[in-house]
Amino acid sequence: AQTVTQSQPEMSVQEAETVTLSCTYDTSESNYYLFWYKQPPSRQMILVIRQEAYKQQNATENRFSVNFQKAAKSFSLKISDSQLGDTAMYFCAFMTWRGSQGNLIFGKGTKLSVKP
Amino acid sequence: DTGVSQDPRHKITKRGQNVTFRCDPISEHNRLYWYRQTLGQGPEFLTYFQNEAQLEKSRLLSDRFSAERPKGSFSTLEIQRTEQGDSAMYLCASSLGGQSYPGRNTEAFFGQGTRLTVV
């Protein structure tokens, strides 16, 4: 069974600084996707960034980047130049896409607070 | 297509009553997921469908819970004999998935959820 672990329940960062959120996962699959989702208070879950396991290059989306270490099964999210609007719950998630094993599993989340 | 929609957005019910929620996924998505989320926690997987087939169910999905996805389009989640512990946000998501769908469109898109309060 796949599991996703986020070891930081809460984090805070000053506006304009950089913060890294940690995520580890466990799987026996070789083909899978990893995601970071953001859930602002009382708002809808939205995708921040995705990483295909078969790609060695780390994904980046503007101020968001990941450090994907496949052998270590680690997938951390770096937020640069933090903004007040980045305040949210951040969830790491894992999904296989092979055949019938397509479950999307989430970690318990990290609550990020960006302080002015 | 405006995304994943869920109905109702809020539901208050008395303990012991049955409730049914509906999810309309993005039209071309073959996968549909149901999650339960309590305050301050991550989404807990309940079940997912690939087209009309229900491929996996969590142990959280007791015999009071049932989900369907007739014709592989919209889905319903029914909770029978509701209990106070069922109070939560119920999230639906859809995605493309399976061996034929590698690529950029594999991420799941979420609806706004149905908040259930059992009194």
Side-chain angles (χ1 to χ4, degrees):
Chain A
Q2 292 93 9
T3 59
V4 178
T5 302
Q6 293 180 251
S7 59
Q8 304 152 315
E10 292 193 40
M11 293 192 73
S12 66
V13 63
Q14 291 296 126
E15 197 175 5
E17 293 187 348
T18 295
V19 64
T20 298
L21 308 183
S22 301
C23 173
T24 58
Y25 60 95
D26 189 25
T27 184
S28 57
E29 295 290 327
S30 57
N31 294 321
Y32 53 88
Y33 291 90
L34 294 161
F35 307 92
W36 279 97
Y37 280 87
K38 171 185 177 180
Q39 189 176 41
S42 301
R43 293 184 62 187
Q44 198 165 351
M45 187 94 71
I46 57 173
L47 180 70
V48 173
I49 197 166
R50 69 198 296 280
Q51 174 80 42
E52 292 91 339
Y54 59 86
K55 290 186 176 180
Q56 292 186 338
Q57 187 174 6
N58 288 326
T60 62
E61 289 286 345
N62 301 314
R63 298 183 296 106
F64 299 88
S65 61
V66 299
N67 182 5
F68 174 47
Q69 301 289 328
K70 190 171 184 179
K73 296 180 181 175
S74 170
F75 182 61
S76 61
L77 174 68
K78 186 171 81 171
I79 306 174
S80 304
D81 186 25
S82 298
Q83 300 176 359
L84 296 177
D86 295 334
T87 293
M89 285 289 291
Y90 286 82
F91 296 101
C92 179
F94 169 99
M95 183 171 75
T96 58
W97 56 268
R98 178 179 62 83
S100 65
Q101 296 182 35
N103 197 352
L104 177 62
I105 301 294
F106 285 83
K108 292 188 182 298
T110 296
K111 183 178 181 180
L112 178 66
S113 299
V114 180
K115 299 185 185 303
Chain B
D1 194 342
T2 56
V4 179
S5 68
Q6 292 187 245
D7 182 71
R9 294 285 307 280
H10 303 274
K11 178 71 176 179
I12 300 174
T13 191
K14 292 183 178 179
R15 189 175 51 190
Q17 297 293 305
N18 300 342
V19 293
T20 300
F21 310 141
R22 177 178 170 125
C23 173
D24 287 271
I26 293 173
S27 57
E28 64 266 28
H29 285 179
N30 62 337
R31 283 193 178 161
L32 187 148
Y33 307 83
W34 283 102
Y35 294 89
R36 183 176 72 185
Q37 187 178 27
T38 52
L39 195 62
Q41 299 297 312
E44 296 174 295
F45 169 74
L46 293 177
T47 188
Y48 90 95
F49 294 82
Q50 184 151 308
N51 301 312
E52 66 276 9
Q54 189 173 18
L55 295 187
E56 189 171 343
K57 292 191 289 186
S58 163
R59 284 172 292 179
L60 292 174
L61 214 65
S62 74
D63 57 5
R64 297 186 297 107
F65 288 71
S66 62
E68 294 182 345
R69 192 183 182 197
K71 303 179 181 178
S73 56
F74 71 92
S75 176
T76 57
L77 177 69
E78 181 183 15
I79 309 174
Q80 296 182 327
R81 305 181 303 281
T82 52
E83 301 172 357
Q84 287 188 321
D86 297 330
S87 295
M89 178 75 84
Y90 290 84
L91 297 173
C92 175
S94 70
S95 75
L96 289 173
Q99 201 164 9
S100 301
Y101 298 100
R104 286 197 60 80
N105 295 327
T106 311
E107 64 261 32
F109 293 81
F110 281 81
Q112 291 183 298
T114 294
R115 182 168 295 284
L116 173 67
T117 302
V118 181
V119 298

